[in-house]
Amino acid sequence: MQIPPSSARSPAPAGVATHCPYCALQCGMRVTDARPAGGGIRVTAREDVPANQGGLCQKGWTAAELLVSPERLTTPLLHGRPVDWDEALGFVAERLVAVQAEHGPDAVAVFGGGGLTNEKAYQLGKFARVALRTGQIDYNGRFCMSSAAAAANRAFGMDRGLPFPITDIARADAVLLAGGNVAETMPPFVRHLTRMRDGGGRLIVIDPRTTPTARLADLHLRVTPGTDLALALGLLHLVIARDSADLGYLAERTVGFDEVRTSVSAWWPERVERVTGVPVALMREAVRILGAAGRAMILTGRGAEQHAKGTETVTAFINLALALGLPGREGSGYGCVTGQGNGQGGREHGQKADQLPGYRRIDDPAARAHVAAVWGVDPGDLPGPGRSAFELFDALGTPAGPRALLLFGSNPVVSAPDAGRVARRLAGLDLLVVSDIVLSETAAMADVVLPSTQWAEEHGTITNLEGRVLLRRRAADPPPGVWTDLEIMRGLADRLGRGDAFPADPGEVFDELRRASRGGIADYSGITHARLAAGTGLFWPCPAEDHPGTPRPFIDRFATPDGRARLVPVEHRPPAEDVDAEFPLYLTTGRVLAHYQSGAQTRRIPALNEAEPEVFVELHPDLARRLNVAPGDRVRVRSRRGTAEGEARVSAAIRPDTVFMPFHWEGVNRLTNAALDPISRMPEFKVCAVGVERVI
Ligand code: SF4
């Protein structure tokens, strides 16, 4: 592979230009490794990256500490005992062969993550299907982006989080953000909203909590958890009632409006207020703002998406956007705010249960033939679709389920729904192998732990929330003895007799990914590491090396067979688990500024840990009074699945019928409900019924 000049092993004084290890904003940063000269590793923000333009959040500023954490794993562990790589990989390969010989290929499962580079995600999908010949692979992005992806695919024929550059946000006259708290999850995103507001634009936020993002809003719709769908139906009802629907656009660029118009006719404002708790006057004001905007955007985040009706909820917001004539117009549109660092690229190249590279479907004969030719295998030898993430976890160790699991870049003991059940399933496996940088809660359960490199120690690409493919350059040496995930897959494939098909060089893997994605929806064939090194990224689809990339794919037509977007009628239904006498409160979960996802990385950074050292339970003052809870008291939260404790934080920012807990610590997801969306298989993370009591 030709390493682009700025990835040279001796960084220039300004540091190596790369990107943050954490969220999907993928802020640009420079990393200077002065350790060879007796110094430390330093991070500075890049001005040239449109997503952050010189800004970083606390997590980004402290990211270098992750590279030198004393908790880094530096040697493989076999049943807790340090061993060399040969012994570790030999043991794993021997056990995998034995398990498959006894129980069949699908007895081995693979689980990936939305933080893996495109090269790793691609290679993992191929490794599962070619080296292991198992169909049992999925990834933690199923818990993150799947509802928005399913809804966007159905409506537009393509799922690209923001189908426009992030800088378009500043040009809008109004933005409606449903269930996203960007001020805490990705603070530099706020500068785009601020610019929009500085230019006279209005921000509407839908959230059960008065989050830091909701505080920035001109209008906050404080919805009851689990009722965003009813609110979206009510807003569309009002758009139609006040003649704000763009009938010309609907006729020209969409199908399905008549059915949707009929379906929302029963969602009159007073009914929606009863269901959602949002006053009619605020709904009318939201619709007035959106209707008056020349350019407007509707964005969704996990708060609206992580429900057993997440696909329908996002569909309702897309219907609203289409009725207003927004998608496919410059400066307007619908988008989802992707969460994980490579949440976008990670869902495009084959680590999903139902997917092959290039956003192809694994049950499509033409897709199978194309990818099989790139992989040099018979299409008939490729397995079919596997189980979705929670269904996969729930099957582990059961008579019909997988007996062994290889897990890369994920910590489901903390982050999966009904996590106590998932931990029990993991404990019942014959073999659990985890590749990670630290001994996460899941790695601590593993038979074999493989120490891997992290962001600035390896070369690769990620695709940010805009669909912009970026180069993450190697900027620091990994600790001795640590391998990249590509090297780990190569080492295992060698021992399984397929090493020749699994190069460990990220450039070689990316070149193969380009061929495999050629002609697919997410076509990367025109993107090269060298092109990425020369600029600030390329938007897919990019089908040729002289193609400029596609910042706004829907300007002329949508990616459906007839080029028109689909409006799809959807109906509201209550949460999968509603409150009752025993569990009288809603629990909703989310993030805090200092931590990222399961916290396996950020909880090991002193400044972040000091800022947020432990889990808390946010309760309204009225509820706290009723429960005799004072700020700082220890509080126990019970659901039908488990209990968790945390320190009480009493705040009027939360509704009196709801408690909030951040999910970065083990225990919180023991409470959450694994009821699944029938289309996306997204679990209902965002609402379940709980009881709360003071710990005496
Ligand atoms: Fe930027 Fe997200 Fe990293 Fe913060 S965590 S610096 S917002 S990429």
Side-chain angles (χ1 to χ4, degrees):
M1 177 191 61
Q2 175 117 36
I3 304 273
S6 59
S7 68
R9 298 300 304 116
S10 301
V16 175
T18 190
H19 293 269
C20 177
Y22 301 118
C23 83
L25 201 56
Q26 280 302 295
C27 293
M29 53 172 57
R30 291 184 177 276
V31 176
T32 308
D33 183 0
R35 286 178 298 175
I41 306 183
R42 188 163 154 258
V43 159
T44 53
R46 285 169 66 185
E47 303 277 348
D48 61 328
V49 174
N52 64 306
Q53 300 171 12
L56 294 176
C57 78
Q58 210 176 349
K59 298 183 283 284
W61 286 118
T62 56
E65 292 177 40
L66 200 54
L67 299 165
V68 294
S69 167
E71 295 191 56
R72 283 296 294 275
L73 294 166
T74 56
T75 182
L77 302 174
L78 174 55
H79 296 134
R81 177 174 61 87
V83 295
D84 64 25
W85 279 97
D86 197 43
E87 184 175 352
L89 296 181
F91 176 86
V92 173
E94 194 181 302
R95 294 296 302 129
L96 293 176
V97 169
V99 166
Q100 289 190 316
E102 192 175 346
H103 302 285
D106 276 359
V108 173
V110 176
F111 198 78
L116 302 179
T117 60
N118 291 318
E119 289 80 356
K120 293 188 205 177
Y122 167 83
Q123 195 82 319
L124 197 61
K126 179 182 174 187
F127 181 80
R129 287 149 183 144
V130 173
L132 296 170
R133 300 185 63 173
T134 177
Q136 302 303 303
I137 176 169
D138 211 43
Y139 82 125
N140 64 18
R142 178 77 63 180
F143 297 154
C144 192
M145 305 312 311
S146 58
S147 290
N153 276 324
R154 185 165 65 176
F156 306 124
M158 176 192 282
D159 153 40
R160 209 186 80 186
L162 301 183
F164 43 77
I166 195 169
T167 44
D168 277 7
I169 292 172
R171 301 161 61 197
D173 302 311
V175 170
L176 183 152
L177 173 60
N181 180 14
V182 290
E184 288 201 90
T185 56
M186 46 178 71
F189 188 105
V190 171
R191 66 187 54 207
H192 302 286
L193 296 173
T194 304
R195 283 195 190 131
M196 183 269 299
R197 294 190 67 232
D198 288 348
R202 313 285 300 277
L203 175 63
I204 306 164
V205 169
I206 299 174
D207 201 301
R209 301 170 65 217
T210 309
T211 61
T213 311
R215 278 189 211 107
L216 298 172
D218 300 283
L219 190 62
H220 175 202
L221 309 183
R222 207 177 184 197
V223 66
T224 303
T227 66
D228 307 73
L229 174 48
L231 182 57
L233 298 174
L235 294 176
L236 180 52
H237 176 105
L238 284 170
V239 164
I240 294 167
R242 74 190 296 276
D243 286 334
S244 291
D246 188 336
L247 299 179
Y249 167 97
L250 285 162
E252 193 188 332
R253 300 210 54 185
T254 74
V255 293
F257 179 61
D258 288 343
E259 294 86 341
V260 166
R261 176 167 40 197
T262 305
S263 73
V264 299
S265 61
W267 287 96
W268 57 91
E270 292 74 17
R271 180 184 176 201
V272 177
E273 177 176 325
R274 277 199 303 281
V275 173
T276 65
V278 176
V280 169
L282 297 189
M283 285 185 256
R284 288 193 193 283
E285 177 61 4
V287 168
R288 193 195 62 73
I289 292 170
L290 290 169
R295 291 171 162 157
M297 288 178 176
I298 294 179
L299 307 176
T300 60
R302 302 305 82 70
E305 299 163 6
Q306 288 179 317
H307 295 273
K309 54 179 180 296
T311 305
E312 289 104 317
T313 303
V314 176
T315 297
F317 282 108
I318 291 175
N319 288 342
L320 178 62
L322 289 168
L324 289 163
L326 307 180
R329 280 192 173 154
E330 198 168 330
S332 294
Y334 162 79
C336 93
V337 183
T338 297
Q340 292 191 80
N342 197 28
Q344 180 69 54
R347 66 185 190 261
E348 297 165 357
H349 296 298
Q351 61 176 333
K352 277 177 79 178
D354 51 1
Q355 194 195 66
L356 289 171
Y359 225 132
R360 290 180 158 93
R361 292 188 58 89
I362 200 166
D363 56 4
D364 171 1
R368 292 170 67 86
H370 172 84
V371 174
V374 174
W375 288 351
V377 298
D378 188 305
D381 287 344
L382 292 179
R387 296 175 172 92
S388 75
F390 183 79
E391 292 164 299
L392 179 59
F393 285 134
D394 202 29
L396 295 176
T398 63
R403 311 290 318 167
L405 176 68
L406 305 182
L407 192 141
F408 292 77
S410 191
N411 187 14
V413 169
V414 176
S415 59
D418 197 356
R421 178 170 173 157
V422 169
R424 288 192 294 279
R425 295 288 191 231
L426 291 170
L429 284 167
D430 296 346
L431 177 70
L432 174 60
V433 180
V434 174
S435 165
D436 211 328
I437 61 171
V438 292
L439 197 66
S440 70
E441 288 78 359
T442 308
M445 296 181 67
D447 298 288
V448 180
V449 181
L450 303 173
S452 50
T453 51
Q454 51 171 313
W455 64 293
E457 296 165 352
E458 56 191 16
H459 212 69
T461 60
I462 53 261
T463 306
N464 78 355
L465 77 177
E466 306 164 281
R468 189 194 301 254
V469 185
L470 304 164
L471 188 62
R472 200 190 261 169
R473 294 177 173 93
R474 176 171 159 141
D477 288 330
V482 168
W483 286 21
T484 68
D485 285 333
L486 293 179
E487 288 169 336
I488 291 171
M489 282 184 258
R490 168 65 185 248
L492 280 173
D494 269 337
R495 288 161 178 82
L496 295 168
R498 292 308 315 264
D500 56 324
F502 293 90
D505 180 297
E508 263 184 76
V509 175
F510 190 73
D511 282 342
E512 190 183 298
L513 179 161
R514 293 171 55 209
R515 291 199 302 280
S517 75
R518 188 189 307 278
I521 291 173
D523 188 334
Y524 281 39
S525 59
I527 301 174
T528 65
H529 279 193
R531 284 188 79 188
L532 296 178
T536 54
L538 286 163
F539 291 93
W540 67 259
C542 182
E545 287 193 38
D546 59 357
H547 190 284
T550 313
R552 299 179 187 87
F554 302 149
I555 290 293
D556 298 323
R557 69 190 308 276
F558 295 101
T560 52
D562 60 7
R564 291 165 178 251
R566 305 286 188 267
L567 289 99
V568 180
V570 288
E571 235 343 284
H572 174 72
R573 59 179 182 275
E577 181 181 80
D578 219 333
V579 293
D580 59 18
E582 192 183 356
F583 300 102
L585 296 164
Y586 295 113
L587 169 70
T588 193
T589 63
R591 297 160 169 81
V592 294
L593 178 64
H595 290 297
Y596 177 69
Q597 301 297 72
S598 82
Q601 298 161 94
T602 50
R603 283 186 277 116
R604 288 173 165 87
I605 291 180
L608 300 179
N609 209 33
E610 206 172 295
E612 286 289 3
E614 62 168 335
V615 66
F616 61 86
V617 183
E618 187 177 271
L619 330 88
H620 190 274
D622 294 348
L623 177 63
R625 253 191 308 279
R626 213 152 34 86
L627 299 173
N628 197 23
V629 168
D633 280 353
R634 194 123 193 102
V635 165
R636 183 177 301 120
V637 182
R638 293 177 294 109
S639 78
R640 286 184 175 80
R641 293 155 293 281
T643 62
E645 292 185 8
E647 185 187 284
R649 285 195 190 166
V650 178
S651 167
I654 188 84
R655 296 169 52 95
D657 57 3
T658 304
V659 294
F660 167 82
M661 296 178 81
F663 59 68
H664 311 289
W665 290 268
E666 189 179 6
V668 177
N669 270 316
R670 275 189 231 128
L671 302 165
T672 51
N673 190 356
L676 300 182
D677 181 299
I679 299 172
S680 66
R681 317 310 284 164
M682 167 72 83
E684 183 129 297
F685 281 105
K686 281 294 186 250
V687 59
C688 69
V690 295
V692 177
E693 65 208 8
R694 187 160 67 95
V695 178
I696 310 288

